[in-house]
C-alpha cells in the first residue's frame, strides 16, 4: 500500500471518534494495554509530559514542546485531532512522522489490528509511542485525546501531569457536571508525580486537591502562582509570587485566551527543572516566541488574510467560543461575516446564545458524519436571534463570505475543529 491507501484503510477499518462520535469511544484501556505489551512497552524508553484539559491543552502542549526543543532535547509531540494531514499527530522536533513509517507500521501489524479491532485513536497512540522509542527521543509531550482517566495515553508515568482547565464538553462521555468532568481529567494525576492545574475554580478545584492528596502528588495551581497581563497583541508580562518573572514575553500564538495558557506552561517548567530537565529562562522565552515555527501548530486565532481580516480558530465549546467572542469584540471591522459549522454532540443552544447578534452568518457543515446539518443549525441559530443563509459545504460558505465582505469587514471561521480543517 502507498501512504494514501494506508490512510484509507485506517479510516475505513478502525472506529474513529472524530467521524463517528460516541460509538467509537472505548471506555477502558484493555486494547491500549494489549498493544503496549505487544510492542514491548515503548513508552518506557523516553521521558514524558502529560497534558489534559477541556480547552488550551493543544496550545500548552505545543508551547512545552517548543521550549524543550529550544533547550536542546529531541522532543516528541503527540496531539489530536489533525487538521490537514494525519501525520500532524506525531512529530519529533516539529517534523511529522515519515510517511513510510506509517505505511510500514500498518502493514507489519495489520493482522493484530484485524484481530483486536482497536479504535483509530488506540492504534495511533501505539504508533506514536513506538515511533518515539524507535527514533530515541529524549522526552515527549503527550496530549490527552478525550477525558484522561480512560484515555489511551494514560498508561504513561510522566515527569509532570498538566491539566489546563475544565469546562463543559463531551458530557455524554465525561459527565454532565464540572465536578464529574474534572474527575475524569484528574485521572492523569499519578502517585508521587507533580501535577499542575491551570486555573483554580471553586466548582471543581477540590477534585484535583482530593486526588492529589490521596496519592501524594504535589499539586500547584498556576492561577495562584502567576500574575499575567497582556501588554499588546501576543505580548505579556508574567510574574510569579516567588519573584520569577518574564516581562515583555512574546507568544507566537495570537488570541487573548493565551493569557490563561502561558502561566500553566511556566508553572510546568518548575517540576521539570527539579527532575533534571535543563531549561533556561531564555529558552522558555524563545520557545514561547517561536512555538508555531518550532512545532507547526495551526488553527489558533490564525490569520488567513488581512483585507478583509480573515481569522479561523478551533475553539468549539462554550468556554472556547466565549473567549473567541471576547477576542472578536476587540477587533475593528465594519461588518462581521461568521462562517459557522458544528458537530451534533455539542451544547449547541447555549453556544448559539453567546455568539454576536450583529454578524452575518454562513451556516455550513464539515464533511464528517458527526457534522450537524446546516439547516438544523440555521433553525436553532434563528431561534437564538442569529441571521444567515445555508451552504452545503465549507468551501461554498467561505466563498460566499469572501464575495460579500468588503476590505473593511472581517470574516471569522469556526465552531468546529473540522470546519477549520477544511478551510486550511
Amino acid at each position: 500500500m502507498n501512504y494514501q491507501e494506508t490512510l484509507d484503510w485506517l479510516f475505513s477499518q478502525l472506529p474513529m471518534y472524530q467521524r463517528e462520535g460516541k460509538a467509537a469511544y472505548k471506555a477502558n484501556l484493555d486494547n491500549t494495554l494489549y498493544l503496549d505489551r505487544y510492542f514491548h512497552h515503548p513508552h518506557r524508553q523516553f521521558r514524558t509530559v502529560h497534558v489534559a484539559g477541556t480547552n488550551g491543552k493543544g496550545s500548552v502542549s505545543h508551547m512545552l514542546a517548543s521550549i524543550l526543543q529550544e533547550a536542546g532535547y529531541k522532543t516528541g509531540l503527540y496531539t489530536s485531532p489533525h487538521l490537514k494531514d494525519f501525520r500532524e499527530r506525531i512529530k519529533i522536533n516539529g517534523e511529522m512522522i515519515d510517511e513510510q513509517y506509517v505505511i510500514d507500521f500498518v502493514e507489519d501489524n495489520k493482522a493484530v489490528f484485524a484481530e483486536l479491532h482497536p479504535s483509530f485513536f488506540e492504534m495511533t497512540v501505539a504508533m506514536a509511542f513506538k515511533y518515539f522509542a524507535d527514533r530515541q527521543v529524549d522526552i515527549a509531550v503527550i496530549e490527552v485525546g478525550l477525558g484522561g482517566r480512560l484515555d489511551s495515553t494514560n498508561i504513561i508515568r510522566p515527569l509532570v501531569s498538566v491539566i489546563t482547565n475544565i469546562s463543559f464538553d463531551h458530557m455524554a462521555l465525561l459527565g454532565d457536571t464540572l465536578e464529574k468532568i474534572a474527575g475524569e481529567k484528574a485521572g492523569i494525576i499519578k502517585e508521587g508525580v507533580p501535577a499542575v492545574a491551570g486555573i483554580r475554580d471553586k466548582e471543581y478545584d477540590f477534585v484535583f486537591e482530593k486526588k492529589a492528596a490521596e496519592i501524594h502528588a504535589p499539586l500547584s495551581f498556576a492561577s495562584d502562582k502567576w500574575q499575567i497581563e497582556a501588554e499588546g497583541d501576543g505580548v505579556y508580562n508574567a510574574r510569579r509570587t516567588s519573584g520569577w518573572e518574564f516581562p515583555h514575553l512574546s507568544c507566537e500564538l495570537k488570541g487573548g485566551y493565551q493569557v490563561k495558557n502561558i502561566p500553566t506552561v511556566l508553572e510546568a517548567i518548575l517540576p521539570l527543572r527539579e527532575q533534571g530537565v535543563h531549561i533556561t529562562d531564555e529558552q522558555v522565552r524563545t520557545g514561547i516566541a517561536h512555538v508555531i515555527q518550532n512545532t507547526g501548530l495551526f488553527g489558533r486565532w490564525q490569520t488567513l488574510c488581512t483585507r478583509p481580516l480573515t481569522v479561523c480558530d478551533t475553539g468549539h465549546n462554550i468556554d472556547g467560543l466565549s473567549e473567541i467572542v471576547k477576542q472578536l469584540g476587540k477587533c475593528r471591522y465594519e461588518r462581521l461575516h461568521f462562517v459557522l459549522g458544528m458537530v451534533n454532540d455539542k451544547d449547541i443552544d447555549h453556544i448559539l446564545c453567546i455568539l454576536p447578534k450583529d454578524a452575518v452568518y454562513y451556516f455550513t457543515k464539515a464533511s464528517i458524519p458527526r457534522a450537524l446539518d446546516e439547516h438544523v443549525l440555521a433553525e436553532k441559530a434563528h431561534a437564538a436571534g442569529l441571521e444567515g443563509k445555508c451552504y452545503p459545504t465549507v468551501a461554498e460558505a467561505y466563498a460566499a463570505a469572501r464575495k460579500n465582505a468588503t476590505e473593511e469587514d472581517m470574516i471569522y471561521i469556526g465552531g468546529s475543529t473540522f470546519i477549520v480543517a477544511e478551510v486550511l
Side-chain angles (χ1 to χ4, degrees):
M1 295 190 295
N2 62 27
Y3 178 61
Q4 189 55 53
E5 289 168 342
T6 301
L7 292 188
D8 291 343
W9 186 88
L10 288 175
F11 293 157
S12 65
Q13 295 296 315
L14 303 184
M16 189 175 182
Y17 180 80
Q18 70 187 73
R19 192 179 61 224
E20 300 164 35
K22 187 177 180 179
Y25 179 69
K26 303 289 183 70
N28 59 67
L29 294 176
D30 295 350
N31 285 350
T32 297
L33 292 169
Y34 182 96
L35 290 173
D36 187 50
R37 290 192 298 271
Y38 177 80
F39 290 116
H40 307 294
H41 311 291
H43 67 92
R44 297 178 185 176
Q45 297 178 43
F46 49 90
R47 295 176 291 180
T48 55
V49 175
H50 208 185
V51 183
T54 306
N55 296 306
K57 64 181 185 289
S59 294
V60 167
S61 296
H62 282 79
M63 281 190 265
L64 286 169
S66 180
I67 289 167
L68 289 164
Q69 286 173 228
E70 290 289 342
Y73 292 97
K74 188 174 185 180
T75 305
L77 176 60
Y78 177 76
T79 59
S80 61
H82 62 273
L83 293 179
K84 298 168 72 175
D85 186 332
F86 165 79
R87 297 181 302 137
E88 293 167 31
R89 295 168 177 255
I90 305 169
K91 296 179 180 178
I92 297 176
N93 285 359
E95 295 293 324
M96 295 189 291
I97 185 172
D98 306 328
E99 286 189 1
Q100 192 60 50
Y101 191 97
V102 176
I103 295 167
D104 293 344
F105 181 85
V106 173
E107 193 69 48
D108 293 347
N109 301 291
K110 195 182 281 188
V112 74
F113 297 150
E115 176 188 345
L116 192 64
H117 204 56
S119 71
F120 178 87
F121 190 81
E122 290 168 333
M123 185 283 307
T124 308
V125 169
M127 182 190 295
F129 289 175
K130 188 166 191 309
Y131 183 66
F132 294 155
D134 288 348
R135 295 296 186 268
Q136 297 181 314
V137 302
D138 299 312
I139 190 166
V141 179
I142 308 296
E143 180 195 13
V144 167
L146 197 159
R149 181 176 64 93
L150 297 175
D151 190 76
S152 296
T153 64
N154 202 29
I155 60 173
I156 62 176
R157 181 177 173 82
L159 298 176
V160 58
S161 305
V162 181
I163 305 174
T164 57
N165 69 19
I166 304 297
S167 67
F168 289 106
D169 203 5
H170 304 298
M171 282 103 78
L173 300 173
L174 304 181
D176 57 1
T177 67
L178 292 179
E179 181 178 349
K180 290 177 182 176
I181 295 170
E184 292 299 314
K185 310 285 186 185
I188 73 164
I189 300 175
K190 303 292 196 303
E191 184 173 359
V193 174
V196 171
I199 298 171
R200 180 179 285 284
D201 188 307
K202 64 182 180 182
E203 291 198 56
Y204 59 76
D205 52 22
F206 61 91
V207 176
F208 300 148
E209 291 173 329
K210 181 181 178 184
K211 176 65 181 288
E214 286 173 350
I215 59 176
H216 309 290
L219 171 67
S220 65
F221 288 87
S223 60
D224 286 353
K225 303 292 186 180
W226 288 89
Q227 291 182 322
I228 184 167
E229 58 183 13
E231 186 182 90
D233 187 24
V235 181
Y236 303 89
N237 292 314
R239 180 182 176 86
R240 197 174 189 271
T241 50
S242 63
W244 190 31
E245 61 183 336
F246 289 89
H248 317 302
L249 180 64
S250 176
C251 181
E252 200 172 13
L253 298 175
K254 307 307 177 188
Y257 49 79
Q258 299 302 347
V259 77
K260 296 182 179 180
N261 294 328
I262 291 171
T264 309
V265 171
L266 297 175
E267 188 66 13
I269 297 300
L270 291 173
L272 291 177
R273 284 177 168 175
E274 289 167 0
Q275 295 173 88
V277 181
H278 300 288
I279 302 171
T280 68
D281 285 5
E282 187 56 34
Q283 289 161 347
V284 171
R285 183 179 287 279
T286 307
I288 293 174
H290 296 162
V291 57
I292 296 175
Q293 180 181 319
N294 285 345
T295 67
L297 177 61
F298 298 110
R300 304 314 193 272
W301 197 260
Q302 183 174 344
T303 299
L304 304 179
C305 182
T306 55
R307 294 184 69 83
L309 175 60
T310 304
V311 172
C312 65
D313 194 282
T314 54
H316 57 272
N317 52 43
I318 190 143
D319 272 23
L321 283 161
S322 293
E323 294 294 334
I324 297 301
V325 171
K326 286 182 197 173
Q327 188 80 5
L328 288 170
K330 298 175 183 177
C331 297
R332 293 189 175 187
Y333 51 79
E334 285 192 357
R335 197 167 199 188
L336 176 63
H337 301 260
F338 203 124
V339 178
L340 179 66
M342 304 184 76
V343 291
N344 57 24
D345 54 1
K346 298 295 178 188
D347 186 12
I348 293 161
D349 293 329
H350 284 98
I351 289 173
L352 292 171
C353 287
I354 68 167
L355 298 183
K357 299 287 192 291
D358 57 351
V360 180
Y361 285 85
Y362 302 75
F363 303 110
T364 188
K365 68 176 184 293
S367 53
I368 59 167
R370 279 176 66 210
L372 181 67
D373 180 87
E374 70 273 20
H375 297 285
V376 175
L377 176 59
E379 185 178 336
K380 289 177 175 289
H382 292 155
L386 310 180
E387 296 301 326
K389 295 181 179 179
C390 294
Y391 300 86
T393 67
V394 177
E396 289 173 79
Y398 183 34
R402 287 189 61 80
K403 180 181 178 182
N404 294 339
T406 69
E407 289 192 351
E408 287 70 40
D409 289 350
M410 178 176 181
I411 300 173
Y412 176 80
I413 305 148
S416 161
T417 299
F418 309 109
I419 296 293
V420 173
E422 291 194 25
V423 166
L424 292 176

